[in-house]
């Protein structure tokens, strides 16, 4: 679309929003300040760069065989840069521990150091972005039993505690060198396919392991820890040690962040109503924005009602300053750069939509008991010209407007991805 048309459409839209008391210029400024953390693992189907020969485990499954996935850190970085260039604003990159640069050596998980991530840190510095981090408690021989931090075997438990500590030190190095706080997310696959007799023991051991892992003091300006619960995984349908209630309690009692993954609840349960609830008892949270479809918790994020409601809760509750927004999905059946771009652009659109709802009028209606107006105005606001604001924002941030980004991804596929054989 011609720049002139984008500007004209924005002007008309701005007037329309202003009529309902909404300042769209202010909304765009606000949106500019919200970083989204792009997850490295969409770029290579959660493969990582270790040479252990272990398949993706822990109940995680990336299905599809779209050609061109990144095979090296350099390729993954190039792909991520391509994605960043098609997304308005400044964002972050979220790295899993098994994406370190080990120089062809077999470095075990409890031996990794900031040195193995210096390439990522230097790259992030060059781009002026922050990094986030994750210990990798899966795709490893010592995770084959599906018990890591809650394992009954002392040696295995110790190994994973050491991994967790090593990761927190790496994260601190990232935060320190980049001058941007890193958030480390702890997710473990521990659980059982069939009905357990002992639900207590693993949970007691998990608490002990986490306490040991977090006993090492790290400056919160460099790294913050978060813990992520889950309902079930593939091959782990009957029991998950780190359940929602488990980690909520752990996070509150230990002063940790809590991760809400949108794909980790009952299929009809959303996280919308959880956000303002957990914020009563903790200063900050981490979101893993994903999309559950039947048994899979990790489809590419679309601009669904569910996503819009998350945006609304973050904006209405004034929670953006206390929320770290990360994406978490992996689709190997479509172009992986496109998967990042689609999900991130949708996350941003949901926030922009929330930032431009007629908040004052809606609140007044509710406070005055006029629920008729609340519902009527909310529904009318759905068809406001959000697209015109979004296009203008993209143009302003120098990224492709509308679907023009797709042509760039296709070109990149032809020039770069197709050569990866
Ligand atoms: C798994 C969790 C976890 C992972 C990543 C790869 O169900 O959502 O966040 O997706 O660590
Ligand atoms: Zn997650």
């Amino acid at each position: 679309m011609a720049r002139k048309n984008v500007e004209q459409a924005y002007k008309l839209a701005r007037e329309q929003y202003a009529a309902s008391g909404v300042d769209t210029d202010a909304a765009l400024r606000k949106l500019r300040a919200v970083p989204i953390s792009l997850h490295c693992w969409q770029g290579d189907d959660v493969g990582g760069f270790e040479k252990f020969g272990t398949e993706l485990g822990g109940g995680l499954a990336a299905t599809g065989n779209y050609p061109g996935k990144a095979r090296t850190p350099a390729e993954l970085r190039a792909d991520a840069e391509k994605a960043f260039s098609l997304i308005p604003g400044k964002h972050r990159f979220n790295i899993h521990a098994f994406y370190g640069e080990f120089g062809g050596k077999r470095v075990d998980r409890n031996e990794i150091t900031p040195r193995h991530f210096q390439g990522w840190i230097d790259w992030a510095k060059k781009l002026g972005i922050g990094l986030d981090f994750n210990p990798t408690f899966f795709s490893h021989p010592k995770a084959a039993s599906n018990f890591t931090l809650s394992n009954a075997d002392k040696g295995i438990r110790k190994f994973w505690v050491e991994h967790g500590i090593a990761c927190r030190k790496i994260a601190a190095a990232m935060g320190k060198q980049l001058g941007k706080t890193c958030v480390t997310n702890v997710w473990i696959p521990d659980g059982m396919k069939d009905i357990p007799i002992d639900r207590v023991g693993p949970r007691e051991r998990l608490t002990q392991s986490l306490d040991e892992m977090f006993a090492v003091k790290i400056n919160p300006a460099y790294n913050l820890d978060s813990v992520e619960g889950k309902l079930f995984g593939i091959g782990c349908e009957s029991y998950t040690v780190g359940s929602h209630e488990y980690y909520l309690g752990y996070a509150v009692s230990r002063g940790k962040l809590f991760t809400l993954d949108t794909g980790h609840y009952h299929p009809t349960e959303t996280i919308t109503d959880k956000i303002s609830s957990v914020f009563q008892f903790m200063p900050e949270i981490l979101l893993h924005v994903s999309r559950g479809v039947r048994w899979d918790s990790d489809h590419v994020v679309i601009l669904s009602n569910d996503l819009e409601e998350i945006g609304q809760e973050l904006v209405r509750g004034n929670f953006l300053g206390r929320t770290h927004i990360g994406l978490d999905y992996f689709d190997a059946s479509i172009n992986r750069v496109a998967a990042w771009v689609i999900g991130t652009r949708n996350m941003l659109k949901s926030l922009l939509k929330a930032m431009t709802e007629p908040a004052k009028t809606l609140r007044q209606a509710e406070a005055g008991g006029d629920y008729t107006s609340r519902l009527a105005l909310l529904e009318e606001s759905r068809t406001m010209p959000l697209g015109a604001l979004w296009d203008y924002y993209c143009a302003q941030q120098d990224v492709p407007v509308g679907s023009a980004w797709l042509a760039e991804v296709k070109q990149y596929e032809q020039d770069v991805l197709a050569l990866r054989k």
Side-chain angles (χ1 to χ4, degrees), residues 157-281:
R157 225 172 48 69
K158 181 165 170 282
F159 173 84
W160 289 114
V161 167
E162 286 171 4
H163 174 59
I165 294 171
C167 286
R168 296 179 66 234
K169 290 181 178 164
I170 292 162
M174 290 173 165
K176 186 175 183 184
Q177 289 190 45
L178 296 171
K180 291 179 166 66
T181 312
C182 178
V183 179
T184 297
N185 181 58
V186 174
W187 174 75
I188 60 167
D190 299 31
M192 283 192 173
K193 182 184 178 80
D194 225 326
I195 309 154
I197 302 304
D198 180 13
R199 293 175 187 268
V200 183
R203 291 197 166 124
E204 287 175 346
R205 292 192 289 272
L206 177 56
T207 307
Q208 202 187 324
S209 297
L210 290 171
D211 285 349
E212 285 166 22
M213 234 173 82
F214 294 136
V216 176
K217 288 267 171 300
I218 292 209
N219 185 339
Y222 301 150
N223 178 61
L224 294 170
D225 306 294
S226 194
V227 288
E228 177 182 17
K230 189 172 182 176
L231 180 62
F232 75 94
I234 294 174
C236 189
E237 290 84 2
S238 301
Y239 173 60
T240 297
V241 183
S243 63
H244 174 82
E245 290 74 11
Y246 175 89
Y247 278 126
L248 184 59
Y250 189 87
V252 169
S253 64
R254 308 304 200 264
K256 294 294 167 192
L257 273 66
F258 182 57
T259 306
L260 288 165
D261 183 309
T262 58
H264 283 192
Y265 296 90
H266 281 281
T268 57
E269 185 180 5
T270 66
I271 68 157
T272 310
D273 193 53
K274 303 185 193 302
I275 296 172
S276 57
S277 301
V278 303
F279 264 133
Q280 301 308 307
F281 306 105

Side-chain angles (χ1 to χ4, degrees), residues 92-143:
R92 305 172 60 89
F93 205 57
N94 190 8
I95 295 170
H96 238 288
F98 68 157
Y99 285 78
E101 292 174 80
F102 307 113
K105 285 201 198 73
R106 209 199 123 122
V107 182
D108 214 345
R109 299 265 171 92
N110 59 343
E111 290 163 349
I112 57 173
T113 67
R115 193 160 42 83
H116 301 114
F117 294 85
Q118 197 56 48
W120 285 110
I121 298 173
D122 293 343
W123 173 73
K125 199 176 271 171
K126 188 188 84 188
L127 299 188
I129 63 169
L131 292 177
D132 295 303
F133 203 53
N134 307 259
T136 310
F137 293 102
F138 52 84
S139 300
H140 187 281
K142 287 200 170 71

